[in-house]
Amino acid sequence: MKNKTIKKALAIGMSVLMLASTFTPVSVQAAGGWKQNKTGWWWEEDNGSYPTKSWKNIGGTWYYFDGNGYMVTGWLKLSSGWYYLTESGAMATGWVQVGNIWYYMNESGVMQVDTWIGNNYVDGSGAWIPGKAKTQTGWVKSGNRWWYSHSDGSYTTNDWEVINGSWYYFDGSGWMVTGWLKRPSGWYYLTGSGAMATGWVQVGSTWYYMNESGVMQADTWIGDNYVGGSGAWIPGKVKTQAGWVKSGNRWWYRHADGGYTMNGWEMINGTWYYFDGSGWMVTGWKQVNGSWYYMDASGAMVKNAWAGDYYLGADGAMATNTWIGQYYVDGSGKWIPNKQKEPEKQEIALQSISLNQTSLEMWAGESETLEVTYNPSNTTVDKKIIWSSSDESVATVEDGKVKTVGKGEATITAEVDGKKASCTITAKEYYTLNVAVTDFLPVGRSEFVQVYAPDGSWYGGAEEVKMYSLNEDIAEFNGNYVKGISDGIATIVVEGDGRIGTATVVVKTAQKLQNPYFEQSVYNMKMGDKRQLEVSTLPENAWISAYGWKSSNPKVAEVDWDGVVRAMSEGETTITCSVQEGSLEAGFSPDNKNPYITVSCTIKVEGVGDNTELDKIEWKYTGSDTRFEHVKVGDIITPNIQVYPVTYPYDLNDVEVSIVKSGHSGPAYDTGFEAEDGIVEIVDGNKIKICKPGTAWVNVVLDGKKTQVILQCLEN
């Protein structure tokens, strides 16, 4: 709890010494549950952490803990409103008395303001106002006029309101309106009760019609009844019947309102007719919007039929440049006698397509071309191919050429006439990039970028491959070095021989290291467990350039240089980590003169864990030199391995060994190597016999996990 408190306090500028003087928790009983010191109460989780600036439900009751983790009592102001925490810290709900005043908290604990709680009113401060009576909703008469009171005493003005299913209108003073009412939408009639009228309504001796929205209708037919421009019903006015009218030798069609169609089509009793600019029915040929039509003597549009040497289609338009059965009409629409129709070409449907590859493994940056085969090959369909990729961040495709642009898996699909075939592309990055940083690359710092081939060998520098950044505003390259420019995440790329490799670099502005620490002082583990330890820093952006890990008792728990702890046997050990703050001027030790700061924690190993999944194996060297196993000619060695976890069950007979190479090296061990067979040999299945002086590289494999030992074979 101390560390977290320090971390929070420093974020707002307080020093470690100031914080330590204001909060020192006392030692209490076992982890988990309520804890108390002279400052107050807090809740500690089983792992030693505690809630801060947050709510926590404990035993069905809500509590709030401040920024230092202490339980809050009394009034609490949050963005959601005011809360009241009782002396026990429990969040209050319902009615609560504070001093002489009553307040009401809803089921979420928020104080209610300016509202009615049943028949009780709380004001803007949340305080209950005794004696304030709740106004009843209903009609109120004053003299000969009426208004409608809402439950809060308010009333509607200059607007409509629906009351018990009827619409009423209230004037600017809130009085109910009766009689005629003019609104922007039209005239309305409010009955003696104030209710808005709909349908037929008699006012005096005159009838009017109001639609379903209450608006008076004017100058229109309501069924067979006509209302004039004033809205009044005109008795005795007969509705004109629609029908054909002949004038001389010509016809026109009168609508029910006396109107008629001009310069356009009209369907009458299921048949299309065309009327000219004066409204007369057209017969014979007529061009409309670029197409010719033919109307017979009755005026009906002809369709699906011949008119002399011309054919009218299903829409009535004259056909052109096409075959009508065995007859051909030219561009003018006229039938061309004796023109013979060529036999129709037989259509051969496409059954399926296939690709020359169904799966490909490629290095990112490489290209391959996919080819489509048609079944049957003599299909007559359009053979246009539509190519697509399921993930263009992995692979793109254009005209069958596939290019991998990143690692991952993508499906390339070809589609022809609805038939599809696909190829699965698995892309791997050829190059592996390693940037020599710990947690992040500081702004202003340049670091060497190591490039490795798939076999782990160093590929070379910028003179052999192209190295660049996709985010040069964050990180940029200078030869083999990448430099931090500004805070952010940059993607760096290596290209060579048509292949690529990528890595991400986190760039931050480094801050002065003030205090490294472990989140816990004690970590409990079981034999076979593995735990990643991490050193937290204050501030978070402090730059650690070097870590050094050590276990005081590796027989109990080992720790590797990445801070991974593996429990080996029951007992206790101290894990220490030495950290060194980075220096933009000097870089790493020995040039870096910043001191190492050591932090430690205790590992307690009790009991046996249930982890039986093999993680890795290592060769257990018998001497202090962990680069070589020193042996003598004539020795027969049994594989001496350590399995991780230690709880992994195995049989030594399942261990496989194989000779990688053997020979003689120069003085620098890895220079001037001359191969020579027969220095060692495998006997009795998996034992190694030392036959003559030299150096031998031997692979040791157990259940798919591999390690390698280098044997320095000396004369006996």
Side-chain angles (χ1 to χ4, degrees):
M1 183 167 183
K2 281 187 179 180
N3 291 335
K4 289 187 177 292
T5 306
I6 293 172
K7 190 172 182 180
K8 298 288 185 183
L10 281 176
I12 60 172
M14 292 184 68
S15 70
V16 174
L17 291 176
M18 290 175 65
L19 180 66
S21 66
T22 58
F23 172 40
T24 306
V26 298
S27 298
V28 291
Q29 61 272 18
W34 287 102
K35 309 292 180 180
Q36 184 186 30
N37 62 13
K38 62 183 180 181
T39 303
W41 288 88
W42 75 92
W43 176 266
E44 185 174 286
E45 307 290 358
D46 292 342
N47 61 4
S49 65
Y50 56 92
T52 61
K53 287 187 179 180
S54 63
W55 293 96
K56 183 171 181 64
N57 191 299
I58 303 172
T61 301
W62 286 98
Y63 298 84
Y64 189 84
F65 298 89
D66 66 16
N68 290 325
Y70 288 107
M71 180 189 77
V72 175
T73 61
W75 288 104
L76 171 66
K77 180 70 168 70
L78 296 177
S79 59
S80 50
W82 282 95
Y83 298 79
Y84 188 77
L85 293 311
T86 64
E87 291 183 0
S88 69
M91 182 189 77
T93 60
W95 288 101
V96 58
Q97 186 176 18
V98 182
N100 295 323
I101 300 176
W102 286 89
Y103 301 86
Y104 186 81
M105 314 294 175
N106 68 10
E107 59 183 8
S108 299
V110 179
M111 181 185 76
Q112 304 300 285
V113 297
D114 193 21
T115 189
W116 290 91
I117 311 298
N119 290 321
N120 298 285
Y121 179 75
V122 289
D123 66 10
S125 71
W128 169 52
I129 306 301
K132 182 168 182 174
K134 193 173 185 180
T135 305
Q136 298 298 311
T137 301
W139 288 101
V140 179
K141 188 175 183 180
S142 179
N144 293 323
R145 294 187 295 179
W146 291 85
W147 61 282
Y148 190 79
S149 175
H150 302 152
S151 60
D152 61 358
S154 65
Y155 51 88
T156 300
T157 60
N158 282 329
D159 205 355
W160 294 95
E161 183 175 354
V162 64
I163 302 171
N164 297 326
S166 296
W167 284 97
Y168 297 83
Y169 191 85
F170 298 89
D171 65 16
S173 300
W175 297 110
M176 181 190 78
V177 175
T178 61
W180 289 104
L181 172 68
K182 182 70 169 69
R183 302 295 302 152
S185 51
W187 283 95
Y188 298 80
Y189 188 76
L190 293 312
T191 65
S193 68
M196 181 189 76
T198 59
W200 288 102
V201 58
Q202 187 176 19
V203 182
S205 60
T206 304
W207 286 89
Y208 300 86
Y209 185 81
M210 314 295 177
N211 68 11
E212 59 184 8
S213 298
V215 179
M216 182 189 76
Q217 304 301 286
D219 193 20
T220 188
W221 290 92
I222 309 299
D224 290 330
N225 298 284
Y226 182 78
V227 288
S230 67
W233 170 52
I234 309 299
K237 185 168 183 175
V238 179
K239 190 175 185 180
T240 304
Q241 298 299 310
W244 288 100
V245 179
K246 187 175 183 181
S247 180
N249 293 323
R250 295 187 295 180
W251 291 87
W252 61 285
Y253 190 81
R254 182 174 58 196
H255 302 153
D257 61 359
Y260 50 89
T261 299
M262 295 183 294
N263 282 327
W265 295 96
E266 183 175 354
M267 178 174 276
I268 302 171
N269 297 327
T271 301
W272 284 102
Y273 297 84
Y274 192 86
F275 297 90
D276 65 16
S278 299
W280 297 110
M281 181 190 77
V282 173
T283 61
W285 290 101
K286 176 67 178 177
Q287 188 178 35
V288 181
N289 296 328
S291 297
W292 284 95
Y293 298 84
Y294 186 78
M295 275 60 71
D296 64 17
S298 71
M301 181 188 75
V302 176
K303 58 182 181 178
N304 294 325
W306 289 92
D309 291 338
Y310 301 87
Y311 187 81
L312 292 311
D315 61 353
M318 180 185 73
T320 59
N321 290 323
T322 189
W323 289 92
I324 310 298
Q326 297 299 315
Y327 304 96
Y328 185 79
V329 291
D330 64 12
S332 69
K334 185 175 177 62
W335 166 52
I336 305 300
N338 302 321
K339 186 177 176 79
Q340 300 296 316
K341 188 176 184 181
E342 295 180 3
E344 292 185 0
K345 184 178 178 180
Q346 182 182 3
E347 297 291 338
I348 301 175
L350 178 64
Q351 300 298 322
S352 63
I353 63 171
S354 59
L355 295 176
N356 59 326
Q357 301 283 354
T358 57
S359 63
L360 282 172
E361 291 188 358
M362 301 171 62
W363 295 113
E366 289 185 327
S367 297
E368 292 281 353
T369 299
L370 296 177
E371 297 178 355
V372 174
T373 299
Y374 305 90
N375 177 34
S377 59
N378 63 340
T379 179
T380 58
V381 302
D382 183 357
K383 293 183 179 180
K384 179 182 178 181
I385 306 171
I386 300 174
W387 295 93
S388 63
S389 170
S390 65
D391 189 345
E392 292 194 342
S393 67
V394 175
T396 61
V397 59
E398 184 175 358
D399 295 332
K401 185 177 181 180
V402 178
K403 182 176 182 180
T404 48
V405 294
K407 60 185 176 182
E409 188 173 284
T411 300
I412 302 299
T413 301
E415 182 175 358
V416 179
D417 195 40
K419 302 297 189 293
K420 297 180 180 181
S422 62
C423 175
T424 300
I425 305 296
T426 303
K428 299 180 180 178
E429 291 188 349
Y430 184 82
Y431 301 104
T432 300
L433 282 66
N434 180 39
V435 185
V437 296
T438 51
D439 298 322
F440 60 88
L441 177 65
V443 172
R445 175 70 179 171
S446 295
E447 291 293 353
F448 187 78
V449 178
Q450 198 99 32
V451 181
Y452 297 95
D455 61 1
S457 61
W458 184 40
Y459 195 81
E463 68 278 1
E464 297 184 32
V465 292
K466 180 182 179 182
M467 308 174 78
Y468 58 91
S469 169
L470 296 180
N471 312 94
E472 292 190 340
D473 58 327
I474 297 174
E476 65 180 14
F477 264 98
N478 182 12
N480 269 79
Y481 288 82
V482 62
K483 181 179 181 180
I485 303 300
S486 64
D487 288 19
I489 299 176
T491 299
I492 58 176
V493 183
V494 170
E495 287 187 9
D497 299 330
R499 300 164 179 169
I500 66 172
T502 63
T504 57
V505 177
V506 177
V507 181
K508 296 182 181 180
T509 301
Q511 298 178 352
K512 179 68 177 176
L513 175 63
Q514 298 184 27
N515 183 34
Y517 63 95
F518 284 115
E519 292 288 343
Q520 297 176 214
S521 59
V522 177
Y523 294 91
N524 296 308
M525 300 177 69
K526 294 182 179 181
M527 287 175 57
D529 287 353
K530 180 173 72 171
R531 177 186 287 273
Q532 173 69 61
L533 289 182
E534 294 183 357
V535 175
S536 300
T537 60
L538 291 176
E540 292 182 351
N541 280 12
W543 175 30
I544 305 300
S545 66
Y547 289 88
W549 295 87
K550 183 179 179 181
S551 171
S552 65
N553 190 351
K555 292 183 178 180
V556 172
E558 298 179 358
V559 60
D560 64 19
W561 67 343
D562 290 322
V564 177
V565 177
R566 291 179 170 84
M568 308 300 289
S569 64
E570 292 189 313
E572 290 189 14
T573 185
T574 299
I575 302 295
T576 57
C577 181
S578 299
V579 299
Q580 183 183 39
E581 183 178 14
S583 169
L584 291 178
E585 295 78 17
F588 294 110
S589 296
D591 298 329
N592 186 351
K593 303 306 181 184
N594 288 327
Y596 278 88
I597 303 174
T598 300
V599 293
S600 63
C601 66
T602 300
I603 300 294
K604 290 184 179 181
V605 181
E606 295 181 354
V608 179
D610 57 2
N611 184 9
T612 57
E613 182 177 350
L614 184 59
D615 182 20
K616 68 173 184 173
I617 65 173
E618 289 183 356
W619 184 271
K620 293 194 297 183
Y621 290 90
T622 56
S624 59
D625 188 351
T626 57
R627 297 178 303 157
F628 308 100
E629 184 69 58
H630 296 275
V631 294
K632 294 181 179 180
V633 174
D635 288 349
I636 298 178
I637 302 173
T638 299
N640 186 23
I641 62 170
Q642 176 66 60
V643 298
Y644 299 91
V646 294
T647 49
Y648 181 74
Y650 74 98
D651 188 327
L652 191 59
N653 292 323
D654 295 331
V655 177
E656 302 173 1
V657 295
S658 60
I659 302 169
V660 179
K661 64 179 180 179
S662 62
H664 302 273
S665 299
Y669 154 66
D670 58 351
T671 62
F673 178 77
E674 295 180 2
E676 179 182 347
D677 294 334
I679 292 177
V680 297
E681 64 179 37
I682 308 302
V683 297
D684 298 334
N686 63 1
K687 293 182 175 60
I688 308 168
K689 181 179 180 181
I690 313 303
C691 299
K692 53 186 176 180
T695 305
W697 285 257
V698 177
N699 280 345
V700 182
V701 179
L702 173 63
D703 295 340
K705 302 296 182 181
K706 181 177 75 174
T707 188
Q708 189 176 91
V709 60
I710 303 175
L711 301 175
Q712 281 283 45
C713 307
L714 308 173
E715 286 283 7
N716 195 342

